[in-house]
Amino acid sequence: MDVDLRKLRYFVAVAEELHFGRAAGRLHITQPVLSRQIRALEQELRVQLFTRNKQATELTAAGRQLLEDARPLLAAAQALCRRVQQTAHESSVFTVGFMPGITVTGAVRAFSDRHPELSVQVVRTSWSDQVQGVHEGLLDVSFVRLPVDRRGLELRPLFREPRVAVLPADHRLAGKESIVIADLAPERLLQDPDAVPEWRDLPERTGGEGAGPRPSFATVEEKLEHVATTGGVLVLPLSTAAYYTHTDVAHVPIDDIGPGEVCLAWSAVRRSPLLREFADIAAAQH
């Protein structure tokens, strides 16, 4: 059975909006057309994807599974089109993504020396999009901090580094030689708990209870400013904490959690020898 990518895009819009009217507006089509396309997709798959009533539109179990699988499939299709178009236009650009605190200069220079015909460009990424650019074909390779969703990726381990707690400069724990993760149980974590599973899984964790939803931040700078002005804590790799200077925050080593791991990531569907060559160079630099 062939799956129509256009119908998948329509489905993802409805699944993300959980509202046919808003999804139709986002797609620039009419709601009746969108409803017909979703019904056609359900018929093709022989499943019900949504339950609808006057109050709400909800995903079924089958719908949740399709949403999980559809996003990487659509990203891969978009990346395929972009790579084909780049090849048709004789693209000679090799793009490297990197997270703040990770030094990529040595690897980029060594790779550029080997391939003077390429224009090697670097793009700064963030926690939320460090692998998205790889899936979408915007990045050839990306220096990423684990954990990431490994599906559709090749990963080459590069190095590990300690993680530290970032606290207000006048915090009770600031100035200590080191702490343990349980010391942070009463604190409000200002990042995705899945990025710090050791804190997330603390049995006596009380931080942030009753404090409302966790603030959303686009950058590390915003997170640090929030730590300095209104409190809360972060757990960051040492190089990231050292990369930013802020006189009103302090960072303290955490003794009993494992180090953060940095890997090089690229798309598993690509076979260009340049990808593994760059990975070999990056690994040799660390």
Side-chain angles (χ1 to χ4, degrees), residues 169-213:
D170 59 355
H171 192 276
R172 60 186 175 84
L173 299 174
K176 287 185 172 290
E177 290 188 6
S178 64
I179 61 173
V180 295
I181 192 66
D183 290 332
L184 300 179
E187 308 298 333
R188 191 176 194 205
L189 192 72
L190 300 178
Q191 64 201 110
D192 184 348
D194 288 340
V196 194
E198 300 89 350
W199 181 89
R200 180 198 62 200
D201 297 335
L202 285 172
E204 303 299 325
R205 176 168 57 82
T206 58
E209 297 297 331

Side-chain angles (χ1 to χ4, degrees), residues 30-42:
T30 66
Q31 185 170 335
V33 169
L34 178 58
S35 297
R36 286 197 298 271
Q37 293 294 320
I38 296 300
R39 284 197 299 271
L41 180 61
E42 290 178 323

Side-chain angles (χ1 to χ4, degrees), residues 72-86 132-139 267 269-270:
L73 179 61
L74 290 173
Q78 184 180 22
L80 181 151
C81 293
R82 185 175 290 112
R83 289 194 297 269
V84 169
Q85 291 166 355
Q86 289 174 343
Q132 181 180 338
V134 173
H135 289 308
E136 294 180 353
L138 299 173
L139 303 175
S267 172
V269 302
R270 297 187 60 188

Side-chain angles (χ1 to χ4, degrees), residues 116-227:
E117 78 283 2
L118 292 177
S119 172
V120 183
Q121 301 178 356
V122 293
V123 176
R124 178 175 162 177
T125 62
S126 66
W127 173 262
S128 61
D129 66 3
Q130 57 178 335
V131 298
Q132 181 180 338
V134 173
H135 289 308
E136 294 180 353
L138 299 173
L139 303 175
D140 291 287
V141 296
S142 185
F143 288 78
V144 302
R145 296 190 186 277
L146 300 187
V148 298
D149 187 341
R150 296 169 179 257
R151 289 176 298 178
L153 297 175
E154 293 282 348
L155 293 176
R156 174 75 64 86
L158 296 179
F159 64 91
R160 295 182 174 188
E161 61 177 321
R163 288 183 287 167
V164 299
V166 180
L167 313 157
D170 59 355
H171 192 276
R172 60 186 175 84
L173 299 174
K176 287 185 172 290
E177 290 188 6
S178 64
I179 61 173
V180 295
I181 192 66
D183 290 332
L184 300 179
E187 308 298 333
R188 191 176 194 205
L189 192 72
L190 300 178
Q191 64 201 110
D192 184 348
D194 288 340
V196 194
E198 300 89 350
W199 181 89
R200 180 198 62 200
D201 297 335
L202 285 172
E204 303 299 325
R205 176 168 57 82
T206 58
E209 297 297 331
R214 179 177 290 102
S216 177
F217 304 102
T219 66
V220 176
E221 292 94 335
E222 291 177 1
K223 293 177 183 177
L224 291 175
E225 199 61 37
H226 200 283
V227 170

